[in-house]
Amino acid sequence: MLFDKIAFYFFGGLAVISAILVVTRRNAVHSAIFLVTALLATAGIFLQLHAEFLFIVQVILYVGGIMVLFVFVIMLVNLDVAIRQIQFNRMWLVALLLTVALGAQVYMVFHYAHTGMKEPLFTLPARPASALEPNTERIGLALFSDYMLPFEIASILLLVAMIGAVVMAKRKV
Amino acid sequence: MADIYSPDSSNDLSNVETTVLGADEIIINMGPQHPSTHGVLRVKLKLDGEKIVDSECIIGYLHRGVEKIAEHRTYQQFAPYVDRMDYVAAVSNGLGYCETVEKLMAVEAPPRARVIRTILTELQRIASHLVWLGTHALDIGALTPIFYCFREREEILKIFEKYCGARLTTHAFRIGGLQYEAYDELEKDTERFCKDFKHKVDEYETLLTDNRIWLGRTKGIGVISGEDAIAMGATGPVVRASGVQWDIRKAAPYAAYDQYEFDIPTGKNGDTFDRYMVRMEEMRQSARICLQAIENIPTGPIMARIGKVLKPPPGEVYHAIEAPKGELGYYIVSDGTTQPYRVRIRPPSFVNLQAFDKMVRGHLVADVVAIIGTLDIVLGEVDR
Amino acid sequence: MLNSLYEFFKPHLLPLLFAAVIVAVLPLLAGYVVLLERKVMADMQARLGPMRVGPHGLLQPIADALKLLLKEDIIPENADKWIFWLAPLLSVTAAMLAMAAIPFGPFFQIANLNVGLLFILGVGSMGIFGIVLGGWASNSHYSLLGALRSSAQLVSYETAAGMAVVSGVLLGGTLNTRGLVEAQARGHVWFVFLAPVGFFLYLVASIAETNRAPFDMPEAESELVAGYMTEYSGFRWALYFLAEYTNMIVVASIATTLFLGGWLRPFSSWHKADFLDYVPMLLMLLVAGYSLYRAPKQPISVQKMFMVAVAGLCLLLAVILGLPQFAPAGSMFVAMKPGVHGAFWFLLKVGTYLYLFLWLRFTFPRYRFDQLMKLGWHLLIPVSIVNVFSLGIALYLHRSAAEGGYGWGMWSSIAVTTVFTLLIAAWLLRKSEQPPATPAVDSF
């Protein structure tokens, strides 16, 4: 229980700090590295929730796949221009207002989840997480039985994206 | 990109008369210090992405003024200098030079000398091709054949050392014949080496010839047609692999080659793989020549009677031999004194290197090393 | 208070011990794999290899490590210092982290994750970052291109490797590394015999994953583009090197766990072959005897002592391996047997796989980069997908309800589907086949 709390606050704090650093760094590659850290921290939170499959898939796909491609593109593009630009937008007042509004909404959601409403917004599982069945098998079964259609649609979407990328990038030889 | 005579003007791009660099085109420089260019060769490549659209070889980094030196040495004094040109096949250089001067003086080496010269030259051909094979395979990534090739080459160099005292720059022959008599076990050593050698060549072939990766790296790479090769003046395995049947040992026999039976391999497609096969077969044929030669070495003198001071009559002569790398020609102009008026050396690598541009266009950067390797150039010869 | 702290840490003590052992031993092990590679390379090239430093060059890795530690630390001028420092660290961390889920024996495993196999693959894919960042941080155009090429190669072959692993997981039914070996024990057959195509696909893909020849064009391309490691010297380079060899060990461990039976002895459930249990001890005795035989022949007394020490170590190992055979039943030693013998067989199989890697490096020339990518995308990925597909069909048709049922139906359907996969592979190969090597030479 204590370990859970420590793990959560550690990963959560790491995620928040990394996210802040992503948007405040001048150097795009530094931002990318902090994004990797943020994603790894998110994966850690998944692990702390005993969602092991989600944890490892997050690492493989997001960190090992998507972020690698991000970093590729960043490195192939000229960075000098970006470094010298002013990092902060002129519309910072609007951004501040929006942040306050969003924060207030999130706070209200959590507040009313504990008090007032008849049913809490988030139901916690009946059993502690450590007594759940092995994660991978359950996800596999669910994907191929209850959620078969979304799964197939997602695969076709990815296939279309891949074909589109190849067609656009292919040079007329 | 056609200026090949100025080593350092290439930093300034104002004399590049071809198209302006497109968005994807970059110019890349390889060498002169480079593990894979077999000497101090500098190659400039204009790339479009990965493909090569233009190339320029810049030579002269090993130029030592050998031909100028020749004008101030006597004919015998100049003989050690020719070894240093194609330093991988020194004996052939010596053979060419000595025969040219003999032709100039209208003198023939005695039969015994001619046969021993043939044996040593063919052993040198094998040694030169072994160096070629080892380094070519190493450039393409096969790490083992080079050690096997050098193990065999060691035997040949031991024979040379026993014969004339030197392994690499041998100065084995003299004008008019030989200085050293064949040592006692020359025939036995040569026979032992040559009998075993065919199996060794088969061993190298098992590593390379049928290997998919080797075929993928050499088939269709560096193609040059027979007409183009002849137009460039290429000779040796480069032109024979393109289907042209031209070998000076058969066309204009010298030394004792007309006495022996041997085949000259030719290829069909003129690509790197064909050049590889041609040279492998040449190694086998050289062993065959040696075996025939040692059976019947004539007895007799080893030196013609020409006296110690050589004063060839005024005149000019051109004589060429089939060196391992191609046609090695010597053009000597004599003015009647003990020192030649002009010695012009036609190195095979220098002329073969001209074909580089044609061979490399349209290929990828990774093929450049394969193509330099397959041309079998030695910069000592190219630059003199 | 202290008691509760102890209770809190207690389940983690043994894994911590294992982790400490692995982290301590691994650099030494990787160093000796390098020495082994040099010796095997020399053997194949008809020469001897390192002989001077220590008897038969056995102290060479230590000398190399010392030298690299003492070298000057050079950072290119405009390089990004933090990323330059971070990149080799990422590579090494990813490689070492992957060792956490590898079952060296039935009880010798740091973390028995339910998704163990996927964990190893995922952490391995994080190592790609080390390469890309290393190339970028060197502030050199050529290093960057080399790094991008290398990582493109890794990413391409990851798919094929993953699919090949999936074919093994199909047979094992679980991602748990320990469960996979136990599935092979229950079925009395190693998965390599059930999914040979998967094993060979994994073999090729893992060679490409670790940037080894014949797929080492990005590294060995001293022709034009120097690899991502150019600007790294001294200990940073040693870290990259360590990461590469650790990756090799990790990949060999995955193959061993998944296909070669992990820690199982050959014929592990056939009791007539129990004499094979004496093999580990005999092997160690043989090595000890050979070291003792060579000891007096060493020229210097320090080398003599070293050989005697090696012999002593091997004798100790032989005793540890042999005790369970001769100790009375029920004693502590017999209980030790599965662990100790398991570790031995595991390491032996990993060693064999690594030897195959080494052998292939010195035999084949290098693939050109576009040929390499073509091989990965046009051959390996389609064949691996077809393999998973056909193996799935075979298993669906004939898997008996009882656990470990590998009856005739199963074997025949697997055979049929394997043949089908091989036919597809042959068809793909024929399309891209080079024209046959006709004797290209005429003679005149």
Side-chain angles (χ1 to χ4, degrees), chain B residues 76-273:
Chain B
Q76 296 106 317
Q77 277 177 334
F78 183 59
Y81 283 85
V82 299
D83 287 342
R84 272 86 178 152
M85 288 192 320
D86 180 3
Y87 36 76
V88 171
V91 171
S92 304
N93 299 13
L95 178 69
Y97 177 70
C98 293
E99 289 207 339
T100 313
V101 179
E102 288 162 14
K103 193 166 169 184
L104 188 60
M105 296 183 46
V107 150
E108 248 196 29
R112 182 176 169 83
R114 285 214 298 277
V115 170
I116 296 181
R117 277 180 175 181
T118 309
I119 296 174
L120 290 174
T121 309
E122 286 307 305
L123 283 177
Q124 182 65 276
R125 187 183 310 272
I126 297 177
S128 169
H129 282 336
L130 284 171
V131 172
W132 161 80
L133 180 62
T135 50
H136 186 47
L138 188 65
D139 289 337
I140 293 190
L143 301 170
T144 19
I146 184 170
F147 291 95
Y148 300 158
C149 293
F150 273 68
R151 182 187 58 191
E152 262 62 80
R153 188 178 141 88
E154 199 55 35
E155 300 303 313
I156 299 181
L157 296 182
K158 278 189 191 146
I159 294 178
F160 286 162
E161 193 184 9
K162 283 197 214 172
Y163 176 73
C164 60
R167 287 154 55 101
L168 200 65
T169 49
T170 42
H171 192 203
F173 307 144
R174 300 288 181 275
I175 299 172
L178 306 167
Q179 172 163 5
Y180 302 113
E181 184 57 77
Y183 67 96
D184 289 335
E185 284 117 22
L186 176 66
E187 290 156 22
K188 210 158 44 122
D189 282 343
T190 313
E191 184 179 11
R192 192 181 53 216
F193 175 78
C194 292
K195 273 220 164 77
D196 208 20
F197 188 63
K198 293 195 188 66
H199 305 295
K200 295 287 181 0
V201 177
D202 292 335
E203 192 181 306
Y204 309 148
E205 291 226 15
T206 58
L207 268 180
L208 296 172
T209 307
D210 287 323
N211 188 322
R212 287 182 65 83
I213 306 179
W214 181 259
L215 290 173
R217 288 298 296 267
T218 56
K219 270 217 174 263
I221 305 292
V223 178
I224 189 164
S225 68
E227 294 86 36
D228 283 336
I230 298 177
M232 298 262 170
T235 50
V238 174
V239 76
R240 285 200 281 279
S242 304
V244 178
Q245 296 177 342
W246 174 253
D247 188 322
I248 299 179
R249 291 177 289 174
K250 292 268 190 190
Y254 53 95
Y257 284 105
D258 44 3
Q259 299 170 21
Y260 306 121
E261 209 180 276
F262 57 100
D263 299 324
I264 308 287
T266 51
K268 289 199 194 60
N269 306 317
D271 60 7
T272 303
F273 183 73

Side-chain angles (χ1 to χ4, degrees), chain C residues 176-196:
Chain C
N176 189 335
T177 43
R178 192 137 167 240
L180 284 165
V181 179
E182 283 167 3
Q184 291 177 75
R186 272 197 309 271
H188 312 308
V189 66
W190 294 354
F191 288 163
V192 64
F193 300 110
L194 288 174

Side-chain angles (χ1 to χ4, degrees), chain C residues 4-50:
Chain C
S4 71
L5 211 63
Y6 172 68
E7 286 300 321
F8 180 67
F9 277 111
K10 189 160 159 214
H12 304 293
L13 273 180
L14 198 58
L16 268 176
L17 178 67
F18 287 152
V21 166
I22 287 184
V23 168
V25 163
L26 196 65
L28 201 67
L29 193 66
Y32 276 93
V33 171
V34 174
L35 177 67
L36 187 73
E37 174 175 23
R38 287 170 74 171
K39 284 297 213 181
V40 168
M41 161 164 30
D43 183 52
M44 291 186 187
Q45 292 168 347
R47 55 190 183 92
L48 286 174

Side-chain angles (χ1 to χ4, degrees), chain A residues 146-165:
Chain A
D146 297 332
Y147 298 100
M148 183 68 163
L149 184 60
F151 180 68
E152 291 300 326
I153 292 180
S155 357
I156 293 185
L157 192 63
L158 284 171
L159 184 66
V160 167
M162 220 161 57
I163 295 177

